Structures are given as structure tokens and as C-alpha cells.
Amino acid sequence: MNRYLDDDFAPVPEELTALDLDITGTLPDHLDGRYLRIGPNPAIDPGESYHWFLGEGMVHGVRLEEGRARWYRNRWVRPRSGDFAPNTNVLSHAGRTMALVEAGSPPYELDEELDTLGRCGFAGDLRAGYTAHPHEDPATGELHAISYSWTRGNRVDYSVLGADGRLRHQAEVEVHGSPMMHDCALTEHYVVLYDLPVTFDVDMALGDVPRPARPAVRFVLNRIIGRNPAPDRIVDLMARGQGAPTQLPYSWNADYPARIGLLPREASSVAGPAPVRWFDIDPCFVFHTLNAFEDPDTGEVVIDVVRHDKMFATRFDGPDEGPASLVRFTLDLTSGKAREHRYDEHAQEFPRCDERRTGRRHRYGYSVGFTGERLGDSILKHDTVAGTTQERRLGAGRGAGEFVFVPNSPDSLTDPEDAGVLMGYVLDRSSGLSDLVVLDAATLEDVATVHLPGRVPAGFHGNWAPT
Ligand SMILES: [Fe+2]
């Protein structure tokens, strides 16, 4: 059986609603909002060739208020015919809840109780879909994003979504070819791009094209891909076969350079592609940023990410090319060189920080530690100043997905940086049920556990959506 349909990954068959959930411990009174997390949950059996990234999205949410867990709901995202059901991130911005995915598909808006309302209003203004990983500037409330799609040739799109939820700025950025660009980072003056060697794979993509059209499509794509935008006729042909895509047409490309780019914020592409300064790094792949900032003492740009040595090189049903590690890239703007520092030996993913510090200097970061191939078995806390890592193991038979930091005093940055809680779903394999686990971010000790009536399969990203 495909491993992404089995075990911790097995989809759940139904949508549940449960009110007034049981809690162990004491939920802090100030937590007033929803914890939301999304992941793939195929509605019908997608078959053996299923890629984990291609399952229809399902959101799992818990409403917390006045020390109570008011409800749990899990809901499929229900897009209009022909659209993909976003499955990668769910967040609230400008008063709306958005389900997000990358690579050309539009974002969808959900209501407070996670039912699908429709495409987000700004979707029609996007050149080619959005991203699952926009970054909110805490000073302005604006979302900065880099979006990619194979249809755009060697261009990706920078966009700024205003605090009012409207698209305020877009610019084209030239990259080397046609890379997968899952995330970006934000600093005070720059958007950080990862132009890395996982790129659009023509032969994989042809699997979804009607057979008689494949030779012509292959010929055209091989001539243009990574250089020019794809002609509408070819995009239509590809889309025709992609009612239910079975492959993610991106793979490791050893001939492609690995580099990190600094794009000035607000850069324009009115007179040609927006200017980017590039820094070469060793071949690797990055899905996720922990945070980035400009160091005022050195003038360098510092970027903390989880680094994979390779991706989609030997396994094509999910991200499964061995352990990933937390590293710091430091870009020296004077010499034009990048340095790389590895923090520790832990295999990990899903890095987060106190996102009120996005683009500003952070001390602490949090991630999920993995020793097996399934869900994570520990929560890690990194002290980037002391260079230490604290590990909270979750216990035998218990597996965690991403944990998010929620500050104790939402408006105060004067508290210690780790004054807050971490929350995320933990699956207990013996009961087959999940909990929403709330940990003290300072100590990683239990604060409260909300017991859910169902299982939350291994998935992608979540966020706290305050009321
Ligand atoms: Fe992601």
C-alpha cells in the first residue's frame, strides 16, 4: 500500500463536529480563537501512485475560549469544479480564513466554522496562483509572498497583500529555470528567494496528458520550459488531464544551480524583471524558513531554514530523501558569499518562531523532531544565541505534526521571547485519537491537552487564528 495512505497518514472518512471537549490540565484564559491545521485527505482512493502533496485538503480546527474548548470540526475544502482543493496551509488574514496551496492553484476562503465560501477575492488578480507560505510583516499586517507555477517559464511572482486583504503590489522575478519554490523569507528590506535544484520535470508532467497529444506537448515543453511562459494551448492540454493529477511533476535536477536571492521589498518589474542579488550555496533543498533578519552589527542577512540534502531524487510519492537539519545561512553583502552553519544533529521539519518577530532578530525557534518515518516524536526548542537545543519527547506511540507559537500577551514584545505556548495535534496510535496539545514554550512542559473525538492524520501547516 502507498505509505501516504496508511498508518499515521491514512485519511479520515468523515467530517465530525464535537462540542465542549474534555481537557486535561488548564487552558490559559487568554487563548481566544481557533487553532487550524490543514493536510491532504483524499476523498476517494487515489491509487498506488498517489503523491502526498496531491490529496484534497481537509482542515481540522479547535475553538478555544475562556479556558474551554468549545468545538472541534474537520472539513474538506470544497472548491469549484476544475480547481484543486488547497491542502498546504490555513491562516487568517484581514478577517478571513484562507486555505492555501502553491504551484498555480487559487486560494480558497473558509468561514469561521471551516465550511468553504469560495475562491479568495484576490485570486482573480494573481498571475498564476498563490503560495502556501506568505509571510506577514508584523509592522504593517501585509502578506509578502513568492508564487511559482511551471506555466510562467523562468519567472516567479512577488506579491504583497495589503492589511485590507487586497492585492497591493505584484512584480515578476527572473529565476534560473522552473524551480519549486515552496517558501520564501522576509527581512526588513528584502524578500529572500530559494532558487534550488528541484525543478519542473517534463516527462513526469506528461503522465497526465492525453496520450495522443504527448509527443507534441513534450516537444514544445522541452523547448520552452524554464525559459518562456507556456502557451495557453499547452496549459489547457495539461489542465485537461489534471482533473485528478497523480504525479507532482518536480524532481531533483543535478544540473541546476543552488542559490539564495535577495529581492528588495517593493521591487517593481515595470522595466523588466525585478532586480535580485544572488548568493551561491551548496546543492540542497529548502521547504521551510524559521525566520530571517538583517544583523545590524555585521550588515549580514541571516536566514534560518530546515535544509534537505536532496529532494525528489529517488522517491516520488512524498518528501522522503532522508533526515533534514536546521541550518543558518549568512549572506555577506560585501563579499557576495554565503556561509552555512548547522545547528544540531536532530532530524527535523516544520520550523516556527514567534511570528511577531518575522524579519527581525529572533532568539528561539521551534520545530518537530523525527526519528522514524511517520509523525514527529518530539518538539524541539532551539536557542540560536546559546547554540543549544532542548527536546521534549512525546511518549511512546504518540506522534506530532507542526506546533505553532502563541504569545501570552499578544501585543507585548517586552516579555521574554519564549513567554507563550506551543500548540499542535498529537496522535495517539493506541487509541486512534488525536489531542490538541498545549505546551509551555519556556519549559516545553504540558499546559493542557484537549481530547478530540477523532484522528488527525499527518498533514502540513497550522496557525492560531485569534478571535
Ligand atoms: Fe510547507
Side-chain angles (χ1 to χ4, degrees), residues 88 133 182 287-288 461:
T88 311
H133 288 290
H182 183 75
F287 281 112
H288 298 128
H461 300 288

Side-chain angles (χ1 to χ4, degrees), residues 53 88-89 102 132-133 182-183 287-289 349-351 402 460-461:
F53 290 5
T88 311
N89 204 353
E102 66 201 49
H133 288 290
H182 183 75
D183 196 358
F287 281 112
H288 298 128
T289 305
E349 251 296 354
F350 298 120
E402 183 178 66
F460 298 137
H461 300 288

Side-chain angles (χ1 to χ4, degrees), residues 13 16 23 28 42 46 77 82 150 198 202 214 220 245-246 307 309 360 367 370 373 391 404 415 419 455 466:
L16 302 176
I23 301 170
V77 182
W150 67 272
V198 170
V202 170
R214 281 184 201 171
V220 174
T246 54
R307 175 200 198 278
D309 290 342
R360 290 141 183 81
S367 62
F370 294 82
E373 289 194 336
E391 180 182 45
V404 59
D415 289 344
R455 192 168 62 82

Side-chain angles (χ1 to χ4, degrees), residues 49-252:
S49 62
Y50 172 63
H51 192 292
W52 191 36
F53 290 5
L54 297 178
E56 291 93 346
M58 175 181 272
V59 183
H60 299 259
V62 178
R63 170 79 170 100
L64 306 182
E65 184 187 26
E66 296 176 337
R68 311 269 297 274
R70 300 287 185 194
W71 53 253
Y72 162 80
R73 284 180 163 85
N74 65 313
R75 296 288 183 273
W76 269 289
V77 182
R78 298 173 187 277
R80 65 167 85 159
S81 173
D83 276 0
F84 181 73
N87 66 8
T88 311
N89 204 353
V90 57
L91 54 82
S92 69
H93 179 257
R96 73 186 157 204
T97 303
M98 304 194 290
L100 304 176
V101 68
E102 66 201 49
S105 299
Y108 266 74
E109 184 172 351
L110 313 178
D111 71 12
E112 285 287 308
E113 297 186 341
L114 311 183
D115 290 319
T116 302
L117 293 173
R119 281 186 176 186
C120 286
F122 65 94
D125 298 326
L126 297 168
R127 287 201 182 91
Y130 198 50
T131 174
H133 288 290
H135 289 270
E136 183 172 330
D137 181 340
T140 63
E142 296 186 322
L143 289 186
H144 293 251
I146 298 288
S147 310
Y148 75 95
S149 161
W150 67 272
T151 63
R152 301 273 293 126
N154 63 342
R155 297 285 196 276
V156 297
D157 293 295
Y158 168 48
S159 65
V160 184
L161 201 61
D164 61 359
R166 293 190 190 158
L167 199 60
R168 175 173 77 64
H169 180 71
Q170 271 197 101
E172 284 189 319
V173 181
E174 188 173 313
V175 292
H176 184 76
S178 199
M180 170 180 279
M181 212 175 272
H182 183 75
D183 196 358
C184 64
L186 194 63
T187 71
E188 191 182 348
H189 297 100
Y190 302 105
V191 178
V192 180
L193 293 93
Y194 309 122
D195 191 14
L196 301 173
V198 170
T199 62
F200 184 74
D201 186 315
V202 170
D203 287 324
M204 290 172 84
L206 287 169
D208 288 322
V209 171
R211 196 171 288 275
R214 281 184 201 171
V217 173
R218 177 186 284 115
F219 177 78
V220 174
L221 285 180
N222 276 327
R223 288 189 59 127
I224 62 157
I225 203 70
R227 294 189 285 277
N228 309 105
D232 289 346
R233 250 181 76 83
I234 295 293
V235 176
D236 289 346
L237 259 175
M238 304 285 285
R240 200 178 301 166
Q242 283 189 350
T246 54
Q247 293 211 74
L248 184 78
Y250 284 84
S251 64
W252 183 255

Side-chain angles (χ1 to χ4, degrees), residues 166-427:
R166 293 190 190 158
L167 199 60
R168 175 173 77 64
H169 180 71
Q170 271 197 101
E172 284 189 319
V173 181
E174 188 173 313
V175 292
H176 184 76
S178 199
M180 170 180 279
M181 212 175 272
H182 183 75
D183 196 358
C184 64
L186 194 63
T187 71
E188 191 182 348
H189 297 100
Y190 302 105
V191 178
V192 180
L193 293 93
Y194 309 122
D195 191 14
L196 301 173
V198 170
T199 62
F200 184 74
D201 186 315
V202 170
D203 287 324
M204 290 172 84
L206 287 169
D208 288 322
V209 171
R211 196 171 288 275
R214 281 184 201 171
V217 173
R218 177 186 284 115
F219 177 78
V220 174
L221 285 180
N222 276 327
R223 288 189 59 127
I224 62 157
I225 203 70
R227 294 189 285 277
N228 309 105
D232 289 346
R233 250 181 76 83
I234 295 293
V235 176
D236 289 346
L237 259 175
M238 304 285 285
R240 200 178 301 166
Q242 283 189 350
T246 54
Q247 293 211 74
L248 184 78
Y250 284 84
S251 64
W252 183 255
N253 179 351
D255 297 328
Y256 195 89
R259 52 190 198 156
I260 295 176
L262 296 183
L263 169 73
R265 281 166 67 155
E266 309 300 330
S268 155
S269 57
V270 171
V276 179
R277 185 162 180 201
W278 294 105
F279 297 76
D280 292 329
I281 59 172
D282 289 337
C284 66
F285 190 70
V286 171
F287 281 112
H288 298 128
T289 305
L290 191 151
N291 193 25
F293 60 89
E294 295 159 40
D295 186 335
D297 300 330
T298 63
E300 295 172 320
V301 175
V302 171
I303 309 149
D304 285 344
V305 300
V306 169
R307 175 200 198 278
H308 296 255
D309 290 342
K310 284 189 176 180
M311 187 49 58
F312 306 129
T314 62
R315 295 289 298 261
F316 302 100
D317 53 359
D320 188 21
E321 299 285 354
S325 49
L326 184 67
V327 304
R328 171 164 288 189
F329 289 108
T330 304
L331 309 183
D332 182 333
L333 303 192
T334 308
S335 70
K337 299 256 193 279
R339 302 193 304 277
E340 183 181 331
H341 163 75
R342 185 179 179 188
Y343 278 104
D344 63 32
E345 300 297 311
H346 290 282
Q348 58 195 288
E349 251 296 354
F350 298 120
R352 301 294 293 253
C353 69
D354 175 354
E355 275 127 28
R356 296 172 306 166
R357 292 171 200 274
T358 294
R360 290 141 183 81
R361 188 196 291 273
H362 62 279
R363 174 167 184 171
Y364 299 113
Y366 311 91
S367 62
V368 181
F370 294 82
T371 56
E373 289 194 336
R374 304 190 290 178
L375 279 159
D377 27 39
S378 64
I379 303 303
L380 304 176
K381 176 182 179 182
H382 305 282
D383 181 336
T384 65
V385 174
T388 56
T389 304
Q390 189 181 344
E391 180 182 45
R392 165 67 201 273
R393 298 197 70 79
L394 294 164
R398 287 170 67 78
E402 183 178 66
F403 268 54
V404 59
F405 177 87
V406 183
N408 283 343
S409 354
D411 299 321
S412 167
L413 273 173
T414 56
D415 289 344
E417 190 182 310
D418 54 359
V421 296
L422 299 167
M423 65 173 76
Y425 293 131
V426 174
L427 170 62

